[in-house]
Amino acid sequence: MIKYIAYCRRSIEQEEKQALSIEAQIAELKEFALKEKLDVVEFLTESKTAKVPGREVFGQLIKKIQQGEAQGILAWHPDRLARNSVDGGQIIYLLDTEKILDLKFPTFWFDSTPQGKFMLSIAFSQSKYYVDNLSENVKRGNRQKLRRGVYPSKAPIGYYNEPRLRTIEVDRQTATIVQKAFEMYGTGNCSMADIQRFFFKKGVRRKKNDKMLPMSQVQKLLSNTFYYGLMKYAGEFYEGIHKPLISKGLFDKVQQVQKQRGKPRKQAHNFPFLGLVRCGECGASVTAEEHFKFYPSTRGKVAYVYYHCTKRKIRQPCSQRYLNSVEFEKQLRELLAKINLPKRWAEKWLEKLDQEQKTEIGRVEENTTEINQKVQTVDQKLGRLLDVYLNQEVDLLSYQQKKSQLLEEKVGLKEKIAETLKNGNDWFEPMREFINVAAEAAKTARAENNNQELKLLVQKVGSNYTLLNRQLFCQFKKGFAEVFSFGGSCGAASDSLQNPIWWA
Ligand SMILES: [Zn+2]
């Protein structure tokens, strides 16, 4: 009498959502074996896909058959046994060599004749067809998305996957952090590790353990063209319909900095505010210097940083003395902390700004028709290029090269459009930036260990930083100066906020 081994399998992957559960398969097979009076010596179960060869339990099954422990296999359907040509072929071969004498399926009739084997091989290849078709469908879905300009994968940091519309939208909270990271790195004053720490501090972390993003991920983020509008998928570039977070100009700058930074060079880590301040007495630049003090019994060697006038102006004698870095930083932070726009004001103004901009954009859009036509021409070229490629008149490499060339041209044109739009309402962006900076300044000034971020803020809100008699002064830039009506240099905070004349 033939001994059977029952084999039950269900993949945990998406593809077999409708397949019978392993428990159900066991129950069905037991009932079937009873009815057919089959001698089942063993039940083997496995929860792996049969798309690719290399299933462990399936391997045991074959081995047991080869060793003569059983001569028959019982399974729910041929597709439980094999969904790839290697495993299917193996079963057929075992039938040919009479190691397997019989196969039983409740859902498929088989007998070991040439016709039976032929039918079985068709059942196997049908299962293979199903799998192939499935991945083809996934690919097709992806291609359609790409054609629509939607990234068919998980949205990068700064965006999220909109589940209903199946688009990629800006995640306001993380988007500003990503923007700032690009800006900071673009200045050339930050290392990749600075950006890594910056992300961590702002709460952009690894999901699984709340730790810092790996350096490789930070690096990848800073070279991801997605952020200015081009998405790379499977080695090719596509134009996205998602809203860019940064300009191509900033992106290029960041790439350049990355390239330069690849070469090792000395870092002035302790002097983050170098090149920012001039001497209030003689006008020479203020530099920083490191000194060490030795405390034999307590702290050992301790470094102190001092900011002082370089006294380089020969004709201008200067009597200024140094200021230590702790005091320097404290004064700088105090200056910036005065910029404190209440949050609800900021929100109100941003809202109003959005409204005004919308009406303005409508007016300007009419002026961009010509560039839009150029964009259409590029689109047509892209279409023709695809045809030529599909007709195999050009090879893949030249196709890709030409394609990315055209896409870059298109991005350039689109930026031009954006610029034209901006020219019509060029005060919106600075205004928005101004409000955001003004609302965030005090918070940034009060945070700890954020010198790089602080420096960026320092450059944004003020100029003419001077050091006189160990006191730091500055001129707030337009807008900031008007809001606080400091009349040039900063003394005390004013309460003119309650009366923002400049808004009109
Ligand atoms: Zn001086």
Side-chain angles (χ1 to χ4, degrees):
M1 194 179 173
I2 297 177
K3 286 178 182 158
Y4 291 85
I5 296 176
Y7 177 82
C8 306
R9 182 189 68 79
R10 187 188 188 222
S11 163
I12 41 170
E13 284 174 43
Q14 188 77 359
E15 62 184 39
E16 295 199 330
K17 246 173 153 176
Q18 318 91 324
L20 226 49
S21 74
I22 285 182
E23 293 71 33
Q25 285 179 40
I26 292 175
E28 292 280 347
L29 292 186
K30 276 191 173 158
E31 199 186 314
F32 181 77
L34 206 66
K35 205 170 70 190
E36 299 279 319
K37 300 194 172 60
L38 304 177
D39 180 16
V40 179
V41 291
E42 194 172 0
F43 272 80
L44 295 177
T45 63
E46 187 157 47
S47 38
K48 273 234 175 78
T49 175
K51 277 194 293 194
V52 287
R55 274 171 291 153
E56 207 172 293
V57 181
F58 182 77
Q60 288 169 19
L61 170 71
I62 298 297
K63 205 168 170 193
K64 281 174 196 269
I65 300 271
Q66 280 167 339
Q67 287 166 349
E69 285 180 35
Q71 303 78 36
I73 302 174
L74 171 63
W76 174 247
H77 184 272
D79 70 6
R80 297 300 90 200
L81 289 179
R83 276 198 153 157
N84 67 74
S85 42
V86 176
D87 294 342
Q90 203 164 20
I91 300 268
I92 304 238
Y93 180 72
L94 288 172
L95 279 164
D96 287 342
T97 54
E98 295 186 340
K99 290 279 184 190
I100 295 180
L101 298 176
D102 193 21
L103 297 173
K104 286 273 188 234
F105 310 98
T107 57
F108 186 89
W109 179 82
F110 169 79
D111 77 337
S112 195
T113 59
Q115 289 91 336
K117 284 183 212 168
F118 176 68
M119 292 307 289
L120 182 70
S121 64
I122 288 196
F124 283 148
S125 51
Q126 245 175 9
S127 317
K128 182 175 178 325
Y129 173 74
Y130 170 80
V131 170
D132 290 349
N133 217 16
L134 194 83
S135 67
E136 192 55 38
N137 278 340
V138 171
K139 278 189 208 150
R140 194 178 305 139
N142 285 349
R143 278 203 299 272
Q144 264 164 8
K145 269 193 161 180
L146 286 169
R147 221 169 283 141
R148 280 199 293 127
V150 177
Y151 192 57
S153 194
K154 194 171 172 289
I157 294 169
Y159 295 91
Y160 67 94
N161 298 82
E162 217 297 319
R164 274 179 314 113
L165 301 168
R166 290 169 184 272
T167 54
I168 291 193
E169 302 294 334
V170 173
D171 176 39
R172 282 202 173 206
Q173 218 176 355
T174 50
T176 44
I177 300 168
V178 170
Q179 280 166 336
K180 214 169 203 175
F182 268 96
E183 276 178 45
M184 282 166 68
Y185 195 80
T187 61
N189 296 327
C190 291
S191 68
M192 202 63 86
D194 289 331
I195 303 296
Q196 191 186 26
R197 279 190 293 271
F198 172 72
F199 275 130
F200 181 75
K201 237 171 43 198
K202 293 287 174 181
V204 178
R205 301 173 186 185
R206 285 171 95 155
K207 281 245 165 58
K208 62 173 177 192
N209 54 14
D210 211 32
K211 285 192 174 152
M212 275 202 211
L213 296 178
M215 193 62 105
S216 58
Q217 195 183 343
V218 176
Q219 201 162 2
K220 237 163 124 187
L221 187 148
L222 288 176
S223 4
N224 193 348
T225 56
F226 193 89
Y227 292 112
Y228 77 86
L230 278 192
M231 43 193 194
K232 194 174 184 182
Y233 190 79
E236 267 190 61
F237 284 103
Y238 300 86
E239 193 190 345
I241 53 166
H242 60 273
K243 193 176 170 213
L245 293 188
I246 56 165
S247 71
K248 180 150 189 306
L250 178 57
F251 179 82
D252 289 344
K253 204 157 131 202
V254 166
Q255 305 320 303
Q256 217 177 345
V257 173
Q258 277 202 49
K259 224 192 242 166
Q260 282 164 358
R261 281 207 161 256
K263 303 162 198 153
R265 74 189 177 114
K266 240 180 98 194
Q267 266 241 45
H269 252 316
N270 291 325
F271 315 139
F273 305 110
L274 217 55
L276 194 71
V277 184
R278 294 200 158 267
C279 171
E281 185 179 336
C282 72
S285 59
V286 167
T287 187
E289 212 172 293
E290 198 169 31
H291 285 285
F292 294 97
K293 265 191 194 165
F294 199 64
Y295 301 91
S297 56
T298 50
R299 293 189 288 165
K301 197 173 161 191
V302 178
Y304 290 90
V305 174
Y306 298 98
Y307 286 83
H308 63 83
C309 175
T310 51
K311 310 197 176 179
R312 288 255 171 84
K313 304 243 162 161
I314 301 163
R315 285 191 198 122
Q316 206 117 38
C318 177
S319 63
Q320 291 297 308
R321 302 179 64 199
Y322 67 84
L323 181 66
N324 74 50
S325 66
V326 179
E327 180 62 23
F328 182 93
E329 194 185 313
K330 191 178 141 229
Q331 288 192 18
L332 196 61
R333 286 178 185 274
E334 277 169 5
L335 273 182
L336 300 177
K338 287 171 183 165
I339 304 172
N340 194 2
L341 181 64
K343 208 176 168 193
R344 71 195 158 81
W345 283 55
E347 279 166 5
K348 232 186 201 162
W349 291 349
L350 285 173
E351 219 172 89
K352 199 171 168 197
L353 205 60
D354 279 344
Q355 284 169 7
E356 292 215 10
Q357 193 171 19
K358 257 183 206 154
T359 41
E360 184 66 30
I361 282 177
R363 235 173 294 156
V364 181
E365 253 170 8
E366 292 162 17
N367 299 329
T368 56
T369 358
E370 196 192 330
I371 310 175
N372 269 323
Q373 276 163 359
K374 279 189 191 160
V375 171
Q376 274 175 15
T377 315
V378 175
D379 273 338
Q380 282 162 3
K381 278 188 195 167
L382 277 168
R384 276 205 299 278
L385 181 67
L386 182 64
D387 288 340
V388 172
Y389 171 61
L390 291 177
N391 291 334
Q392 300 185 338
E393 288 162 31
V394 296
D395 60 305
L396 182 64
L397 193 68
S398 359
Y399 165 69
Q400 284 173 337
Q401 276 170 354
K402 187 70 194 162
K403 185 178 166 191
S404 55
Q405 198 183 322
L406 282 169
L407 283 177
E408 276 206 20
E409 188 183 335
K410 191 169 170 184
V411 171
L413 285 169
K414 287 213 155 163
E415 281 199 347
K416 223 181 206 170
I417 293 178
E419 216 165 282
T420 317
L421 290 176
K422 223 172 82 188
N423 281 343
N425 33 142
D426 54 352
W427 63 280
F428 287 112
E429 259 334 293
M431 189 63 174
R432 193 166 286 132
E433 162 104 9
F434 164 75
I435 295 171
N436 281 328
V437 170
E440 286 274 313
K443 218 169 97 194
T444 307
R446 276 189 222 108
E448 276 168 17
N449 298 320
N450 61 342
N451 282 346
Q452 297 298 345
E453 213 188 326
L454 194 69
K455 186 172 182 185
L456 203 65
L457 179 67
V458 161
Q459 287 160 337
K460 269 181 185 166
V461 304
S463 60
N464 292 340
Y465 287 85
T466 50
L467 191 60
L468 185 64
N469 300 331
R470 287 181 167 158
Q471 189 68 43
L472 201 57
F473 298 89
C474 83
Q475 241 166 9
F476 282 117
K477 285 185 180 167
K478 207 177 144 214
F480 296 105
E482 278 150 30
V483 171
F484 297 99
S485 57
F486 286 141
S489 71
C490 22
S494 110
D495 56 11
S496 69
L497 252 188
Q498 260 115 65
N499 184 19
I501 331 154
W502 53 270
W503 173 254

